[in-house]
Amino acid sequence: MKQEIIIAGFGGQGVLSMGKILAYSALMEEKEVTWMPSYGPEQRGGTANVTVIISDQEISSPVLSQFDVAVILNQPSLDRFEKAVKPGGTLIYDPYGIATPPTRTDIAVVCIQAMDAVVELADVKAYNMIVLGALLEVAPLVTRENVLAALRKTLPERHHHLIPLNADALDRGASLVHA
Amino acid sequence: MKHSDREVTLLKGNEAIAHAAIRCGCDGYFGYPITPQSEILETLAAEKPWETTGMVVLQAESELASINMVYGGGGTGKRVMTSSSSPGVALMQEGISFMAGAEVPGVIVNVQRGGPGLGTIQTSQSDYFQSTRGGGNGDYNVIVLAPSSVQEMADFVDDAFTLAFRYRNPVMILSDGIIGQMMEKVVLPPFKPRRTDEEIYRDCPWATHGKRPNRPHNFCTSLELDPQVMERHNQHLQEKYATVKAKEVRCEHFMNDDADYLIVAFGSAARISKKAIELLRAEGLRVGMLRPITLWPFPTDEIATLALRVKGILSVEINAGQMIEDIRLSVEGRCPVSHYGRMGGMIPTPEEIAKTITSHIKEIWTT
């Protein structure tokens, strides 16, 4: 099985970090994984995106033009990547700031009110973990346990007290899918 | 995390280079930041190897200073390296030529970005000519290794030092923004201690490591004003390069056993091409790939052999068509050779490559 995922939004929304946590979680499951970020001017304040590929087999190209799943967090990214979802694939988006919602009917479109949900949390920086929770509810790429294990492994010890907050954010994200 | 008892981590290509340098007994790194390779210097600074292995890490004032520090360190028999990206490596060419002339070993990492000039910070492979044709003045060659994965970024650091000291020649690791910036699983090499002074005296009798009793002074210089002596020195260099060509060619064959059509690609372009081959094979087209791992020495014989039985070769490069010249010199007209590439930081997609192959099969490679 191979899943080709693009996560795209504004720089600062935690797009690259979310991809990194997803990639580490896949590593915990002994899958093959690549994480390819946009590292250009878009990372420095504009839109940012990251391609994550999770596979049971060796991964060929780390850069792609077609995706199984697109996670879209702003309008420019929606404009760019809606057409890049494979037919039958999935597009997950946060409607916050979206003036022109997706129109495709040959893919599954999931709308999650993550920006609204994050204000109820103690730390708005957990926004990307809400989105990750929603992504994993729609596409069970890795288990919740392995996401938390990846956080324990990659976060410095002094930030480990934030792991329960992140677990809460994952759960809130998952519940948004069915809201 | 254990994969068959080896520690598997997730690292960027640039980070893997830094960790591998510390682990393979590197004595010194001298560099100046430039996107997309700054994580090499950043990782080394964060790891503080001067507190553990004793490796020196220095941010130099410029690329010129960096390469001349490598020249100096290499001249004393130390395993020293630098890294930069295309415009920075262009600045280093004088120093690399001097090292080749003086037969000083050293490792240069180029995480390429688009040019010419300052160009773009996005990925490119447009330094192929600069890397494989010497790059500076004079008749010389640099051994060029082209990693196409984060694992190879890690593995090639020690390989590069081994080759550099075996042949007393600069060795370049020619990577690019994709391989440098992406994260993949990697198993880092085991720790190897830095060589002691006594080991360097033993292994590098040519090095300028201080006057020893019972031997003449050593000189590391590229200057010789007597043309007869200088021609003999050049002949010696050419003999050395011939040995490298005979012994050190490396390449990877991918689905070539039954291939009717062949892609030749290196580095990140080879990764993208593999995906194109997956797409083409799904359509029943027998396409394979040869990936040069050493760009100099180039896998001429392997390509010549394949050219006898394939109907066409496509060189996929993220440039305007540079390696295609070496492919054509290898093929010597045995089969048609074309190029596909993007420039300026644009990246060819697997679909574009697959489409180029299918249209070539219909229009050019008809036999």
Side-chain angles (χ1 to χ4, degrees):
Chain A
M1 195 207 67
K2 180 155 76 176
Q3 288 286 323
E4 298 171 331
I5 305 136
I6 180 99
I7 308 166
F10 285 119
Q13 279 178 317
V15 164
L16 299 190
S17 308
M18 177 183 160
K20 209 177 251 186
I21 294 162
L22 183 60
Y24 272 109
S25 310
L27 178 71
M28 309 298 283
E29 304 198 352
E30 306 210 345
K31 298 266 177 58
E32 296 300 319
V33 61
T34 63
W35 174 93
M36 181 68 216
S38 57
Y39 63 89
E42 62 264 63
Q43 192 190 339
R44 296 158 165 90
T47 62
N49 68 73
V50 61
T51 301
V52 178
I53 307 172
I54 300 172
S55 177
D56 294 326
Q57 274 144 20
E58 190 185 314
I59 295 166
S60 51
S61 177
V63 287
L64 302 167
S65 54
Q66 297 261 295
F67 304 93
D68 298 304
V69 182
V71 179
I72 303 298
L73 304 176
N74 68 3
Q75 186 73 53
S77 301
L78 182 60
D79 298 342
R80 183 170 164 197
F81 292 113
E82 181 183 358
K83 55 183 176 292
V85 180
K86 293 177 196 171
T90 305
L91 188 155
I92 301 167
Y93 78 105
D94 185 341
Y96 186 85
I98 298 282
T100 319
T103 54
R104 278 180 66 179
T105 52
D106 61 334
I107 57 174
V109 175
V110 181
C111 174
I112 50 149
Q113 309 264 1
M115 198 64 90
D116 291 344
V118 77
V119 296
E120 295 165 20
L121 283 181
D123 191 339
V124 291
K125 280 187 282 190
Y127 174 74
N128 60 351
M129 294 300 286
I130 293 182
V131 178
L132 181 59
L135 167 63
L136 296 179
E137 183 69 11
V138 175
L141 304 159
V142 292
T143 66
R144 181 182 184 278
E145 287 66 39
N146 278 325
V147 173
L148 296 177
L151 281 174
R152 275 194 294 277
K153 172 133 181 104
T154 56
L155 280 177
E157 197 91 17
R158 65 181 190 279
H159 293 316
H160 277 202
H161 68 278
L162 295 171
I163 288 173
L165 170 73
N166 282 282
D168 187 22
L170 283 174
D171 296 338
R172 280 172 188 256
S175 68
L176 291 178
V177 174
H178 308 290
Chain B
M1 270 144 290
K2 296 273 177 182
H3 281 231
S4 57
D5 288 337
R6 295 178 310 167
E7 179 83 15
V8 180
T9 52
L10 198 60
L11 290 176
K12 281 189 172 196
N14 289 336
E15 296 166 339
I17 291 255
H19 287 287
I22 298 168
R23 284 164 173 258
C24 76
C26 180
D27 295 300
Y29 169 95
F30 313 100
Y32 188 79
I34 179 172
T35 305
Q37 64 80 54
S38 296
E39 291 88 354
I40 299 176
L41 178 53
E42 287 167 10
T43 304
L44 286 168
E47 290 293 315
K48 298 191 176 94
W50 54 90
E51 292 178 357
T52 51
T53 71
M55 174 185 173
V56 172
V57 178
L58 186 72
Q59 178 173 334
E61 68 269 34
S62 70
E63 289 86 351
L64 290 169
S66 306
I67 192 66
N68 283 292
M69 288 172 182
V70 172
Y71 186 11
T76 66
K78 299 281 187 185
R79 287 164 75 106
V80 291
M81 65 184 290
T82 183
S83 68
S84 189
S85 181
S86 306
V89 177
L91 288 167
M92 294 181 182
Q93 292 303 327
E94 178 192 64
I96 298 170
S97 170
F98 277 43
M99 288 171 69
E103 299 197 83
V104 168
V107 174
I108 302 108
V109 180
N110 181 358
V111 183
Q112 294 170 94
R113 57 190 254 181
L118 280 178
T120 166
I121 62 172
Q122 299 299 329
T123 204
S124 176
Q125 297 182 321
S126 52
D127 299 350
Y128 181 89
F129 281 152
Q130 186 193 62
S131 314
T132 58
R133 266 61 177 168
N137 64 301
D139 280 317
Y140 75 97
N141 281 104
V142 171
I143 300 171
V144 184
L145 299 171
S148 78
S149 65
V150 173
Q151 186 63 56
E152 286 188 340
M153 289 286 256
D155 293 343
F156 286 3
V157 179
D158 192 46
D159 291 355
F161 276 118
T162 303
L163 288 167
F165 278 84
R166 181 179 298 156
Y167 295 104
R168 286 182 58 191
N169 206 67
V171 176
M172 180 170 288
I173 297 176
L174 188 68
S175 179
D176 62 55
I178 292 176
I179 307 293
Q181 289 295 324
M182 77 169 170
M183 288 203 308
E184 273 188 322
K185 291 203 308 197
V186 55
V187 179
L188 291 172
F191 271 101
K192 183 161 88 175
R194 290 171 51 234
R195 285 184 302 182
T196 63
D197 284 351
E198 283 309 316
E199 285 168 333
I200 293 174
Y201 293 141
R202 186 196 64 207
D203 298 343
C204 309
W206 49 266
T208 53
H209 35 47
K211 178 76 177 79
R212 309 284 283 177
N214 310 318
R215 73 150 169 77
H217 285 281
N218 282 340
F219 292 99
C220 283
T221 179
S222 62
L223 180 68
E224 173 51 62
L225 296 179
D226 180 340
Q228 287 186 328
V229 176
M230 195 53 182
E231 186 179 49
R232 276 203 300 279
H233 176 60
N234 267 276
Q235 283 163 346
H236 157 70
L237 291 179
Q238 292 304 317
E239 283 161 16
K240 179 171 83 174
Y241 301 148
T243 308
V244 175
K245 280 187 187 177
K247 290 189 172 171
E248 305 296 350
V249 171
R250 289 172 65 182
C251 62
E252 179 199 353
H253 290 274
F254 179 72
M255 297 190 148
N256 276 346
D257 290 344
D258 65 344
D260 295 324
Y261 312 98
L262 182 71
I263 289 176
V264 181
F266 67 95
S268 58
R271 293 289 295 272
I272 302 167
S273 296
K274 275 188 181 177
K275 176 96 182 171
I277 291 169
E278 289 168 16
L279 299 171
L280 291 160
R281 290 255 167 190
E283 291 174 29
L285 294 167
R286 291 199 295 261
V287 184
M289 180 173 71
L290 182 135
R291 173 173 75 92
I293 295 172
T294 50
L295 301 182
W296 193 91
F298 193 71
T300 300
D301 295 343
E302 286 79 358
I303 290 177
T305 306
L306 284 164
L308 290 170
R309 62 173 179 83
V310 298
K311 295 172 186 163
I313 296 178
L314 184 69
S315 178
V316 179
E317 307 170 60
I318 312 180
N319 60 36
Q322 301 190 12
M323 181 175 65
I324 188 172
E325 295 196 358
D326 285 330
I327 299 170
R328 286 199 168 126
L329 287 168
S330 309
V331 169
E332 293 185 310
R334 292 182 189 93
C335 75
V337 182
S338 335
H339 165 263
Y340 182 76
R342 299 292 299 266
M343 293 173 284
M346 294 300 290
I347 301 167
T349 66
E351 289 78 9
E352 284 169 19
I353 298 166
K355 211 173 127 195
T356 305
I357 292 270
T358 46
S359 72
H360 276 38
I361 290 171
K362 277 193 203 117
E363 290 154 27
I364 308 175
W365 298 339
T366 47
T367 46

